[in-house]
Structures are given as C-alpha cells and as structure tokens.
Amino acid sequence: MKIEIDIKRVEKLSKKEINFMNKSRLKEYGKDSKVDFKKEDKKAIFFFVKDNGKIVAFGMLKPVRVQFGNKKYNILGMGRGLAVEKGKEYGRILQTARIYYLKKTRKTSLAFTGKQNLKFFEKTGFKIAKNIIGKIRYKNPKTGKIVKDDDGHGIYYEGKDKFITKLIKSKLIAYINVPFW
C-alpha cells in the first residue's frame, strides 16, 4: 500500500480523470449525477487519494463568494467527495488532506450533507452546524433569483475570517452566488 495525495486545479484535470470521476459518481449516485466539472466547479481544486497509483477517493474545494450583512466573504465550498473503495479509510484520508489544505491556507470551508454522514465528518475533524442551512440562500447573480434549501446539515472548517461563528450568532441570512440555475 502506497498512499499519495494528488492536488490539481480543475483546468488541469485530464479527460481520463473526469471520466473516472463521472463513472464513479454514476455508479454511486445514479443516472443524474454526471457533472461538467470544468463548468460547474470553476477555479476548484481537486484532491485525489491514490493507492499504488490508482485513484481510490476524490473530492474538491472551490471558491464561493458569500454576502453576509454588508461584508463579502471568500470561503471554499466542499463537495464531490467520494471514496470509490469503501471500508479502507480512503474517505478519511481525503478529509485529512482537505483539512491540511484548509489549515495551511487559513480558509473557511462549508458543505452540506445528510444526517447519516455527520459522525464521519466529525471524526475526520470537521465541525457540525446542524441548522445552518436555514441561514443560507442561494442567489443567481445574473437573474437575482433566490432559492432556500432545507436539505442537509452543515459541516465546516473555520478559517481566520470566523465566518461560520458570525453566521451562527447572527439573525442575518447569508447569500451565496450560484450562477447556473
């Protein structure tokens, strides 16, 4: 067993890597899970866990601009995480690599997940904010359309901006720009 972490910007992903991720997502999540990573995850950084050169887990962090009160925050959205082989600690290794990157950059990261995943993320070093999704709205910057999502619980790593602490303590709503709906 030789574990490596490979980190690549979305624009550097090969067709082979994109095809592998989509094939793995289709197998895990079903027919509607294919993603145009270069379009939907602009400026993202992808993490690949490799065992003897073979991709066994992957995920990304991507820049997200959040309007909160009269201030803008630049955080990292976390997503696309998948351990291709289960029960071998590859998912934990992926999360450890993400946290290492977040500590090094001192950036805040936020994602939403189902209740069944909360213990896993907590064990790997993320904090839980169960009701934070109610304090977030998605806004299409081109149309102004605002969408509220009630599905999921927040998992986060807090960086130097302390954005999550401020959001939890406030009665204000945060708006995240999402340009593709």
Side-chain angles (χ1 to χ4, degrees):
M1 178 190 270
K2 182 182 176 213
I3 301 293
E4 299 172 79
I5 306 296
D6 190 13
I7 302 173
K8 289 186 169 186
R9 297 209 168 273
V10 69
E11 62 271 12
K12 300 287 186 183
L13 293 177
S14 69
K15 284 184 180 182
K16 185 178 178 180
E17 290 164 331
I18 290 169
N19 288 339
F20 177 82
M21 288 191 292
N22 271 319
K23 182 180 173 187
S24 300
R25 288 178 56 79
L26 288 167
K27 184 178 177 185
E28 184 77 15
Y29 305 121
K31 66 179 179 152
D32 296 327
S33 60
K34 189 173 180 184
V35 176
D36 183 342
F37 297 102
K38 291 187 179 186
K39 182 179 177 186
E40 293 183 32
D41 298 326
K42 289 181 180 171
K43 299 184 181 178
I45 299 166
F46 280 79
F47 294 74
F48 294 97
V49 178
K50 296 181 178 180
D51 190 348
N52 292 315
K54 178 182 167 189
I55 297 171
V56 292
F58 57 86
M60 66 81 185
L61 294 171
K62 72 177 175 182
V64 175
R65 176 164 283 162
V66 181
Q67 179 71 43
F68 180 61
N70 60 1
K71 191 166 181 188
K72 288 187 171 130
Y73 291 85
N74 294 306
I75 68 170
L76 295 172
M78 182 172 62
R80 313 285 189 222
L82 178 61
V84 179
E85 296 184 38
K86 310 293 186 216
K88 296 187 176 182
E89 299 290 312
Y90 297 134
R92 183 190 55 76
I93 294 167
L94 171 64
Q95 302 317 332
T96 300
R98 285 175 166 169
I99 287 177
Y100 177 79
Y101 180 87
L102 294 166
K103 281 182 181 177
K104 194 169 91 174
T105 61
R106 302 181 68 201
K107 295 292 267 182
T108 293
S109 183
L110 176 64
F112 299 101
T113 190
K115 186 177 181 179
Q116 72 278 7
N117 298 322
L118 294 178
K119 284 184 183 177
F120 166 75
F121 282 104
E122 199 168 31
K123 278 198 268 183
T124 61
F126 288 94
K127 292 184 180 171
I128 308 300
K130 288 186 179 179
N131 299 317
I132 202 168
I133 199 165
K135 300 185 91 167
I136 302 279
R137 301 293 184 275
Y138 297 99
K139 182 177 181 182
N140 185 317
K142 292 179 183 171
T143 66
K145 180 179 176 185
I146 295 174
V147 174
K148 181 181 178 189
D149 185 0
D150 293 328
D151 187 25
H153 298 287
I155 58 161
Y156 68 95
Y157 178 86
E158 189 152 60
K160 69 179 179 178
D161 61 14
K162 301 293 182 202
F163 167 68
I164 303 296
T165 297
K166 293 172 189 172
L167 180 61
I168 290 169
K169 289 181 177 180
S170 175
K171 293 184 189 285
L172 296 175
I173 298 294
Y175 294 89
I176 297 176
N177 286 341
V178 180
F180 48 82
W181 38 252

